[in-house]
């Protein structure tokens, strides 16, 4: 009798345990003519039928080989919304992944390839991490946020978005493909430079920088000065991707209309580029802008170090520049001039006009019927040991970059 009860208990346990695992088959197809490396694949749990339990873990395999993945809570309710992983997939190839959704947490075996930080200054100088900072639009917290804004990094590039009315995208270029910002914090010392660490590589000044999103008033870019509330937030951060948010609430349009604007910046491991999604809470019949500055256009030949300021502004949505200038005008003795290449890609559906001014190559944008704009930002630093070292090389690379964006992998979940 005792044996029968024990056997029944074991069978019930096995039945319950098996009900806590659901395997989903994910088919990924690259129908483009070029191989893809580190291409993002997202499985949204809202599109998976009949899970029947709270997902707390996942395992992804391809032909029996485990593929690193991360679980992401996208709406802040502490529940998993997406399973994310990266795929290396040849031109014309289809790969079939098995994604096990699990009720129990799994230990992360993923080597961190992404860094995300939103930190505040404190009396102990420990710079504690926070998930969100929000303040009145009239409050000046720029110097109270460590690194002056939310900061993200892949092995190739680093970015930060200033917590102030400019909301400029600042750039961190490096020689080696590795994570460095936990050590340099965007303020590389002379000793770290000598050891081969990267550094801030761009001074925007009054220019638009690299892909910063601006208001458009009186025929020129304008900062976000008339805002009731501004904030920054870590949406999700893991070893393979990060998504961060920059938002402005109660922003005033020219006609007095108030609107809310949310900007989402996504960076993937193995990528140098950012995906930027700007979402508005209502339809707006008004222009905005983005673009790239003309790097080194105001510098003299001794500062340019042989890198003349060059640029392109194309009707198909590619704007780019190459040049050399000091990355910080106030620290010329510490940081020498840096040659860099900048680029944005804006799908033509958002473009109202392409314009060039004294400092910038610009696209004037309209959000259209979806009350949203999506575009992409990228850059390279000449200091990279595996990068681009001339305007010719940089501009040529943008064709494949645009093509990869225009031909995303096709994902089918079953």
């Amino acid at each position: 009798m005792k044996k029968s009860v024990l056997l029944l208990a074991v069978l019930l346990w096995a039945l319950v345990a098996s009900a806590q695992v659901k395997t989903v088959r994910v088919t990924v197809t690259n129908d483009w003519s070029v191989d893809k490396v580190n291409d993002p694949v997202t499985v949204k749990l809202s599109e998976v039928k009949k899970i029947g339990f709270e997902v707390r873990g996942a395992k992804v395999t391809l032909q029996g080989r485990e593929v690193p993945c991360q679980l992401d809570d996208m709406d802040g309710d502490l529940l998993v919304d997406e399973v994310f992983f990266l795929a290396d997939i040849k031109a014309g190839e289809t790969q079939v992944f098995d994604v096990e959704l699990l009720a129990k947490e799994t230990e992360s075996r993923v080597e961190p390839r992404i860094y995300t930080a939103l930190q505040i200054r404190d009396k102990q100088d420990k710079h504690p991490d926070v998930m969100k900072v929000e303040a009145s639009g009239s409050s000046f917290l720029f110097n109270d946020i460590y690194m002056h804004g939310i900061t993200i990094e892949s092995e190739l590039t680093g970015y930060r978005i200033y917590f102030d009315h400019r909301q400029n995208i600042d750039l961190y270029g490096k020689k080696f493909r590795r994570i460095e910002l936990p050590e340099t914090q965007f303020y590389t010392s002379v000793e770290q430079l000598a050891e081969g660490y990267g550094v801030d590589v761009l001074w925007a000044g009054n220019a638009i920088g690299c892909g910063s999103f601006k208001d458009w008033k009186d025929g020129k870019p304008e900062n976000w000065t008339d805002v009731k509330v501004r904030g920054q937030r870590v949406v999700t951060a893991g070893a393979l991707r990060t998504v961060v948010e920059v938002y402005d609430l109660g922003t005033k349009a020219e006609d007095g209309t108030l609107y809310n604007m949310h900007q989402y910046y996504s960076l993937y491991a193995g990528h140098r580029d950012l995906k930027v999604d700007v979402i508005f809470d209502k339809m707006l019949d008004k222009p905005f802008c983005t673009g790239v500055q003309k790097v080194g256009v105001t510098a003299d030949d001794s500062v340019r170090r042989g890198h003349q300021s060059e640029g392109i502004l194309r009707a198909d949505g590619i704007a780019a520049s190459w040049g050399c200038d000091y990355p910080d005008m106030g620290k010329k003795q510490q940081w020498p001039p840096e040659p860099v290449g900048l680029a944005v890609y804006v799908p033509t559906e958002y473009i109202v006009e392409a314009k060039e001014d004294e400092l910038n190559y610009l696209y004037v944008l309209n959000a259209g019927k979806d009350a949203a704009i999506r575009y992409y930002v990228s850059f390279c630093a000449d200091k990279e040991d595996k990068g681009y070292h001339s305007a010719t090389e940089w501009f040529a690379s943008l064709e494949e970059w645009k093509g990869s964006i225009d031909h995303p992998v096709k994902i089918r979940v079953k």
Side-chain angles (χ1 to χ4, degrees), residues 78-99:
L78 303 182
L79 300 176
V80 175
D81 298 305
E82 298 178 357
V83 178
F84 178 84
F85 59 95
L86 299 165
D88 296 340
I89 183 165
K90 295 185 180 300
E93 183 183 15
T94 294
Q95 295 179 347
V96 180
F97 297 84
D98 287 322
V99 179

Side-chain angles (χ1 to χ4, degrees), residues 205-224:
N206 294 321
I208 201 163
C210 184
S212 303
F213 188 74
K214 301 285 186 177
D215 203 356
W216 182 260
K217 292 181 179 179
D218 300 323
K220 62 181 181 179
E222 289 286 345
N223 293 323
W224 304 101

Side-chain angles (χ1 to χ4, degrees), residues 1-22:
M1 182 67 177
K2 288 183 179 179
K3 288 184 178 180
S4 298
V5 172
L6 180 60
L7 180 59
L8 180 60
V10 171
L11 290 173
L12 287 172
W13 177 87
L15 184 62
V16 170
S18 66
Q20 303 296 292
V21 179
K22 182 178 178 64

